[in-house]
Amino acid sequence: MASAQLSQHQNDVSADSSAEFPDRTSMMEVRLQAQEDEITLLKSSLADALRRIRLHDQLLPLLKQQLIAVNPGAARVLNQVCCSDGCTSSRRLSSSSAFDGIRQTTTRVRRNSEKLGNTERQRKRLDKKAASSTNLLTRSPSLENRAKELIASAGSPGSRRGTYSQGQSIKMFIRGRPITMYIPSNIQNYEDLKMEPPSEKLELDWVYGYRGRDCRANLYFLPTGEAVYFIACVIVLYHINNRTQRHYRKHTDCVRCLTVHPDRVRVASGQTAGVDKDGKPLQPCVHIWDSTTLVTLQQIGLGTFQRGVGSVAFSFADSGAFLCVIDDSNEHMLSVWDCNKGTKHAEVKSTNEAVFAVEFNPSDSTNIITCGKSHVYFWTLSAGQFTKKQGIFGKYKKPKFIQCFVFSLTGDVLTGDSEGNILTWGKSAADIKTLGKGAKETFQIMRQTRAHEGSVFTLCTLQGGALLSGGGKDRKIIRWSADLAPEREREIPEKFGAVRTIADVDGEEILVGTTRNAILRGTFSDGFVAIVQGHVDEMWGLATHPSQNIFITCGHDKQVCLWNTEEHKLEWCINLEEYGLCAGFCPNGSVVSVGLSTGRWLVVDLQTREVVSESTDGNEQLSVMRYSPDGSFLAVGSHDNFIYIYSVTENGRRYNRFGKCNGHSSFITHLDWSKDGKYIMSNSGDYEILYWDIAAGCKLLRNRFESKDREWASYTCVLGFHVMGVWLEGSDGTDINALCRSHSERMVAVADDFCKVHLFQYPCPKPKAPSHKYDGHGSHVTNVCFTHSDSHLLSMGGKDTCILQWKVVGGSAGDSRDRLASVSSSSTSSPEPVTT
């Protein structure tokens, strides 16, 4: 193995040295592109200055006439002000500095191109770019002549805020790259458009999923008949009989732990720290809240915990007066808090190893137990100070992980470990002979019981002293008597994964949380059925049915899932061999196409769940699957920079290659069809907006001005005139992952990289457009989509594996065309801006 590693290292070194020249070339090309962008910015600034000069020249005679009519002497004063040496010098200074800026940047471009002249082909290509930049002013002699006459306000406010208006077009800048967008003909006065938030709003209706893959003790049953659990930033209270949900939503980042107070009403939940949109860490905390009213009663430890809260537990002997917390810092700080006052009672460093669970002794609140990697600690709290005793394994094999523990009715501690054993711990008298005088009592293993193959992930005590254990590898749930004699067992289906946690319902019925993010309900006699299911890895693909209340999802867990928005359940799920990254329904609603990570795509029949067609385009991942409005074509957007067009026949079951759109210089991110099904608008990873004439043979439309009035059947492209206002100032081009216009064309939903869902008015073509903002996701939001009737919006988290279903409330009749027409007609009295 060592020789193999050495050989691999030598290969890596060789590869690095051979790649040194291309890497240097690419770096210089990046610098060259940045400098060309800088020239473009300066050019736009100069053009804006010239526009101001022209406007000044037009208004000056009118102003003179008005002044002369009022006061003949005013004209002389005006001429002196306009022609003074100070004004001329300041204008000359401003124009000279702007002009010199272009010259200096052009010189740098030429120098960089000379550095890249290692090969004849590269030198010619880069010299051509440099020459193009050098001749910028030569090609625009009017710009060069008038640059010397720039006024002091040469730098336009529009370019500073990221947009720049030129009459019939708008320039938007992302990471220094200009993106030109043409103003539709029905907007006569762009500057007078007023952006308002939509009259519609969102209310969280349903949460799909459960976080069982990496969290413990996260499922409890309340006296109200509700199961309480969490996923992302939402704590769900799900009534298992009525099948209704309530949601506690006061957490600002992913919830990590949960516990229920002895009164069975109050709940404590802890969250991770997370970061804000600027990358600054947020402060984790613990919320104590009322499960009946969902009112927050206390916020514990804000600014105290590091990274997050890993485990929480209420005391029992004193009716839950104290709360124990372990954070996610390197030392896993153990702290005890007064629940009523919210003050810290004591704190100590527990261990540098991972800690999985913490609990108070039910009969003595001064005794606390923690367990985790290679340890079980018994803590005693006295006068605000902790003392720690480590559990002694003695003759028994020390397991790698102590996964969980409970207290028996006799006061013993039962632990489940990674070896599949249940260990019974008890106090032993001080061994004076061995340890000498002053030796204290210790906690030792009294009994070892073989329970499961693989880890024992959870233990749950029942009334009367019986015990339930959940296994990992064997996926078994075993019921034990009070003296640890096995009574009954049941194995859960493999598709649900291992047993993560168990919650007792009534002594017979139990709830089981699994490692594949499912919650099962059942008994040993009747078996178990899933009442909550979800994805288990990052999700990207989302599509809603054109006429039914169902939607499809796919992701990195290689699952394709069909969900029902009315019954709030999973209809079916199929497993793939590869990642699913995008999906789209055929307009007839009988089939759905799914794009995979290898360039392969499938068409699945919704009724039979069978694959009726499949094809492969390139060898890179697919990002978009979009049918034309009449279903006669399918557009497949790929990361190989191409859009593949297929003709569709036999009700979506037969596909033939029609053509290929070739013109993007980066991977395809989004695309939409026109309402007549003849044209496509597409976005790419380098912020391009291109238009294609499909009917003419997938021809690239060079004149993008011609597409400014075209109507689109859908609007998912994140770059475009009608959605320009969704971008925040300073966005880097990847901050918005997805966008979806409602079918009524009144609103547009946005999924961003900062765990937020936004709802904007449609259209929103002006910067800093106001919106409604909604929390809930604990990871980047990868996709959003309206249902066919616009009654609900679906949003999908990435790493949080959470699907949120939002109900659309409020709103009024009318569509975007009425809104634009009313704004345009009300502003026709204003002077028209100068057009380009």
Side-chain angles (χ1 to χ4, degrees), residues 337-358:
W337 300 76
D338 188 308
C339 293
N340 296 321
K341 299 179 181 178
T343 56
K344 184 162 57 179
H345 185 62
E347 185 179 39
V348 68
K349 297 179 180 179
S350 64
T351 177
N352 289 329
E353 301 288 357
V355 179
F356 295 154
V358 60

Side-chain angles (χ1 to χ4, degrees), residues 545 547-551 563-566 787-789 791-792:
H545 194 276
S547 59
Q548 301 178 29
N549 293 317
I550 56 178
F551 65 96
W563 308 83
N564 190 307
T565 61
E566 286 185 322
T787 57
H788 70 97
S789 62
S791 62
H792 292 83

Side-chain angles (χ1 to χ4, degrees), residues 473-477 489-494 524 527-528:
K473 187 176 181 179
D474 61 11
R475 307 188 314 279
K476 289 183 179 180
I477 302 172
E489 70 175 49
R490 191 87 184 198
E491 181 178 324
I492 66 173
E494 182 179 1
F524 284 98
F528 297 91

Side-chain angles (χ1 to χ4, degrees), residues 53-124:
I53 291 174
R54 286 195 297 268
L55 184 61
H56 173 269
D57 293 342
Q58 294 172 3
L59 294 178
L60 190 59
L62 297 176
L63 182 58
K64 284 184 177 181
Q65 293 176 5
Q66 293 176 0
L67 289 175
I68 291 172
V70 176
N71 184 0
R76 292 192 300 271
V77 176
L78 182 63
N79 286 329
Q80 291 174 0
V81 171
C82 293
C83 300
S84 63
D85 292 339
C87 178
T88 304
S89 62
S90 63
R91 183 180 299 179
R92 183 179 297 114
L93 177 61
S94 175
S95 63
S96 177
S97 60
F99 187 78
D100 290 343
I102 290 184
R103 290 297 190 193
Q104 292 172 5
T105 304
T106 304
T107 302
R108 290 199 302 269
V109 170
R110 187 188 301 110
R111 289 174 180 173
N112 282 337
S113 67
E114 291 172 356
K115 293 179 182 179
L116 286 169
N118 295 309
T119 66
E120 188 66 24
R121 183 177 180 181
Q122 286 179 334
R123 184 169 65 253
K124 288 182 179 180

Side-chain angles (χ1 to χ4, degrees), residues 460-524:
C460 175
T461 54
L462 304 175
Q463 290 184 355
L467 178 72
L468 297 176
S469 65
K473 187 176 181 179
D474 61 11
R475 307 188 314 279
K476 289 183 179 180
I477 302 172
I478 303 177
R479 179 186 174 107
W480 307 81
S481 64
D483 58 355
L484 291 183
E487 295 180 342
R488 308 186 69 177
E489 70 175 49
R490 191 87 184 198
E491 181 178 324
I492 66 173
E494 182 179 1
K495 64 180 181 179
F496 297 126
V499 178
R500 173 62 75 191
T501 188
I502 299 174
D504 178 31
V505 175
D506 56 11
E508 287 294 327
E509 189 175 29
I510 60 175
L511 301 177
V512 181
T514 74
T515 56
R516 289 190 64 82
N517 294 350
I519 297 178
L520 313 180
R521 177 186 182 184
T523 64
F524 284 98

Side-chain angles (χ1 to χ4, degrees), residues 411-651:
D412 292 333
V413 177
L414 307 176
T415 63
D417 60 40
S418 55
E419 298 294 324
N421 298 318
I422 297 177
L423 304 178
T424 304
W425 299 76
K427 290 183 179 180
S428 62
D431 189 353
I432 299 178
K433 293 183 179 180
T434 304
L435 303 177
K437 293 183 179 181
K440 299 180 181 179
E441 62 183 7
T442 59
F443 293 87
Q444 294 185 347
I445 299 173
M446 313 300 292
R447 178 183 175 184
Q448 177 177 283
T449 305
R450 182 64 180 173
H452 292 273
E453 181 183 355
S455 291
V456 179
F457 275 146
T458 184
L459 296 171
C460 175
T461 54
L462 304 175
Q463 290 184 355
L467 178 72
L468 297 176
S469 65
K473 187 176 181 179
D474 61 11
R475 307 188 314 279
K476 289 183 179 180
I477 302 172
I478 303 177
R479 179 186 174 107
W480 307 81
S481 64
D483 58 355
L484 291 183
E487 295 180 342
R488 308 186 69 177
E489 70 175 49
R490 191 87 184 198
E491 181 178 324
I492 66 173
E494 182 179 1
K495 64 180 181 179
F496 297 126
V499 178
R500 173 62 75 191
T501 188
I502 299 174
D504 178 31
V505 175
D506 56 11
E508 287 294 327
E509 189 175 29
I510 60 175
L511 301 177
V512 181
T514 74
T515 56
R516 289 190 64 82
N517 294 350
I519 297 178
L520 313 180
R521 177 186 182 184
T523 64
F524 284 98
S525 302
D526 301 331
F528 297 91
V529 295
I531 59 174
V532 176
Q533 290 179 265
H535 282 271
V536 295
D537 206 341
E538 187 170 359
M539 303 179 295
W540 282 92
L542 172 66
T544 54
H545 194 276
S547 59
Q548 301 178 29
N549 293 317
I550 56 178
F551 65 96
I552 204 92
T553 58
C554 57
H556 289 189
D557 57 4
K558 303 179 182 181
Q559 293 186 140
V560 177
C561 300
L562 183 71
W563 308 83
N564 190 307
T565 61
E566 286 185 322
E567 299 182 12
H568 307 123
K569 69 175 185 179
L570 178 67
E571 294 284 359
W572 52 255
C573 177
I574 60 175
N575 293 314
L576 305 175
E577 298 177 356
E578 305 149 18
Y579 296 165
L581 297 175
C582 53
F585 279 96
C586 184
N588 64 24
S590 62
V591 297
V592 62
S593 60
V594 180
L596 308 181
S597 58
T598 59
R600 195 162 69 100
W601 54 273
L602 313 172
V603 181
V604 181
D605 186 289
L606 293 184
Q607 297 298 325
T608 65
R609 311 178 198 176
E610 294 180 352
V611 176
V612 297
S613 180
E614 65 177 287
S615 185
T616 301
D617 291 308
N619 56 5
E620 297 192 41
Q621 70 183 53
L622 303 180
S623 51
V624 192
M625 306 292 291
R626 188 85 62 210
Y627 286 90
S628 61
D630 61 359
S632 60
F633 289 102
L634 171 66
V636 181
S638 173
H639 270 229
D640 64 5
N641 304 356
F642 298 128
I643 301 174
Y644 300 90
I645 307 298
Y646 284 82
S647 61
V648 183
T649 55
E650 298 181 11
N651 291 325

Side-chain angles (χ1 to χ4, degrees), residues 167-219:
Q168 293 180 351
S169 65
I170 302 295
K171 280 192 182 295
M172 173 183 175
F173 294 90
I174 295 182
R175 301 187 69 176
R177 176 162 188 162
I179 303 171
T180 302
M181 303 176 189
Y182 293 97
I183 302 175
S185 301
N186 62 340
I187 300 181
Q188 298 181 10
N189 297 289
Y190 172 78
E191 297 297 336
D192 293 335
L193 289 178
K194 294 182 179 179
M195 295 293 98
E196 297 178 352
S199 56
E200 297 87 351
K201 293 185 178 181
L202 302 180
E203 292 180 355
L204 184 59
D205 178 49
W206 200 263
V207 177
Y208 299 89
Y210 154 76
R211 186 171 179 174
R213 70 191 189 280
D214 60 353
C215 289
R216 306 160 189 273
N218 55 359
L219 174 64

